[in-house]
Amino acid sequence: QVQLVESGGGLVQPGGSLRLSCAFTGGGFSVYDMAWYRQAPGKQRELVAYMDNFERPSYADSVKGRFTINRDNAKNTVYLQMNSLKAEDTAVYYCNAIWRADLNTNFWGQGTQVTVSS
């Protein structure tokens, strides 16, 4: 079974940077699209970054130009580099893997807290 384990969250000052990691286990990393979501208290879960089967990244308008998603297939790991962080980026961030053969089959990480505050 696919399992996702996230790391890298924490407290950071506004304007700072943070890199989240998502380790993928269970086999078949190359046949999954990968995404990052976030959810703040009282808010809907929001897609913030997505990498499709052609490894083309896409981003929510709110993070475009500041966040970068990439993957290291040799390490079965996907990253989210977050720069120029703002208070409104504060949320629990979740890694998501989507099986390319059936986009309704997907797996979630446990979430990692990112807090942007002075």
Side-chain angles (χ1 to χ4, degrees):
Q1 182 78 345
V2 170
Q3 186 173 356
L4 307 176
V5 179
E6 303 170 6
S7 62
L11 176 65
V12 65
Q13 297 276 348
S17 296
L18 208 59
R19 188 176 77 157
L20 306 183
S21 298
C22 174
F24 180 107
T25 60
F29 181 66
S30 64
V31 301
Y32 285 85
D33 291 349
M34 301 297 298
W36 288 94
Y37 288 75
R38 68 185 182 188
Q39 188 168 27
K43 301 287 188 178
Q44 294 182 342
R45 187 167 294 188
E46 174 191 21
L47 176 65
V48 298
Y50 190 92
M51 182 164 284
D52 68 10
N53 57 312
F54 296 103
E55 298 194 7
R56 297 177 298 188
S58 59
Y59 302 94
D61 288 341
S62 58
V63 307
K64 193 173 298 182
R66 300 187 297 119
F67 290 12
T68 303
I69 184 173
N70 68 286
R71 64 193 293 162
D72 186 335
N73 290 324
K75 296 181 179 179
N76 292 342
T77 302
V78 63
Y79 304 94
L80 184 67
Q81 179 67 47
M82 305 184 294
N83 298 324
S84 301
L85 284 161
K86 306 173 181 179
E88 52 262 43
D89 295 319
T90 296
V92 178
Y93 284 72
Y94 297 91
C95 183
N96 181 232
I98 307 99
W99 191 32
R100 291 170 184 167
D102 181 2
L103 299 183
N104 292 318
T105 299
N106 64 100
F107 303 90
W108 293 91
Q110 79 286 356
T112 185
Q113 176 71 47
V114 172
T115 302
V116 185
S117 176
S118 59

